[in-house]
Amino acid sequence: MDLIFATGNQNKLIEINKIIPKNINIISFKDLKFDEEVPENENTIKKNAIYKAKYIYNKFNINVFSDDTGLEVETLNGEPGVYSARYAGSSCNSKDNIKKLLRKLENKKNRNARFKTIIALILDNKTYTFEGLVEGKILKNPIGKNGFGYDSVFSPSGYNKSFAELTLNEKNLISHRSLAIKKLINFIS
Ligand code: IMP
């Protein structure tokens, strides 16, 4: 079965490709020679995920799934959440986002946080969503070289390491994204 993975994020593509079974053929933006930025202007993670999947389905008329992810920090009332990618401003990168997050958490005792992924699947013009959550804590300083985004400041519950210190396989055992994609795989198989 052919499925577009609607993402321009190579890290997400690598993570998903490690999990997806061989009977699902992932079509990337690169395969489609598609290099537009898909808008992410909705006010919830779920709406963004659905918007991205529909945008690509309408363009290519091929079954598709998308991933929208946010980091929700308890003491910041769920911030940065849906605004995780542009937390420090629209032209900022992950380093800037992390800097802002750590500044906001200075002197805060409660460092509980979770990653939330919503995967939206459009299959024969019907929309389905799958959620993956992983609980953990925000570290005081970034550590680790693997992964991307906020991985270096997020330590999943039960681990004494950041996501960026885990191997890809270790992250995939427990991550928000892997939990959501496994639900999708169960659904279509
Ligand atoms: P989006 O899902 O691409 O909109 O990602 C939102 C923000 O969360 C971006 O800043 C990403 O870098 C970050 N992000 C998404 N997935 C992960 C992850 O698995 N680990 C760490 N950061 C992530």
Side-chain angles (χ1 to χ4, degrees):
M1 146 186 242
D2 287 342
L3 266 188
I4 299 175
F5 181 20
T7 186
N9 182 326
Q10 288 309 302
N11 294 292
K12 288 186 182 179
L13 191 61
I14 291 166
E15 287 187 11
I16 293 278
N17 268 327
K18 276 254 177 193
I19 301 172
I20 216 92
K22 291 220 158 45
N23 59 325
I24 300 174
N25 176 42
I26 297 283
I27 302 169
S28 68
F29 279 179
K30 204 170 162 206
D31 298 326
L32 297 166
K33 299 192 174 28
F34 175 80
D35 61 4
E36 277 176 43
E37 281 255 340
V38 181
E40 294 193 17
N41 298 326
E42 303 291 335
N43 60 0
T44 67
I45 292 171
K46 187 171 174 179
K47 284 192 213 161
N48 262 342
I50 292 172
Y51 184 91
K52 283 193 270 190
K54 283 194 172 159
Y55 186 94
I56 296 300
Y57 188 80
N58 290 336
K59 209 161 187 101
F60 294 100
N61 203 23
I62 298 174
N63 290 328
V64 55
F65 69 96
S66 68
D67 160 318
D68 202 62
T69 295
L71 178 65
E72 298 180 336
V73 179
E74 195 171 274
T75 194
L76 301 177
N77 299 315
E79 259 186 45
V82 67
Y83 304 108
S84 294
R86 45 192 189 279
Y87 195 37
S90 51
S91 56
C92 290
N93 59 24
S94 291
K95 230 176 162 179
D96 302 319
N97 289 336
I98 286 174
K99 232 189 207 168
K100 176 169 179 183
L101 178 67
L102 294 182
R103 207 174 340 105
K104 284 213 157 200
L105 289 179
E106 257 170 18
N107 310 319
K108 298 267 191 213
K109 268 207 173 122
N110 178 359
R111 304 186 72 91
N112 295 341
R114 66 182 191 182
F115 272 116
K116 180 196 276 182
T117 289
I118 301 285
I119 286 184
L121 169 70
I122 316 265
L123 201 59
D124 304 327
N125 213 17
K126 290 202 188 76
T127 304
Y128 308 90
T129 59
F130 308 92
E131 182 180 85
L133 292 172
V134 61
E135 304 284 341
K137 288 204 183 314
I138 302 299
L139 299 170
K140 292 245 157 86
N141 296 294
I143 182 159
K145 297 234 173 308
N146 302 330
F148 67 102
Y150 296 90
D151 276 345
S152 62
V153 289
F154 182 82
S155 176
S157 298
Y159 288 72
N160 257 334
K161 289 179 173 179
S162 76
F163 258 166
E165 292 179 289
L166 300 183
T167 64
L168 183 52
N169 286 337
E170 286 170 334
K171 183 182 173 191
N172 267 346
L173 278 179
I174 54 169
S175 83
H176 44 300
R177 179 162 303 104
S178 72
L179 294 171
I181 196 72
K182 281 171 191 161
K183 288 182 186 171
L184 177 149
I185 293 165
N186 272 341
F187 176 77
I188 56 183
S189 51

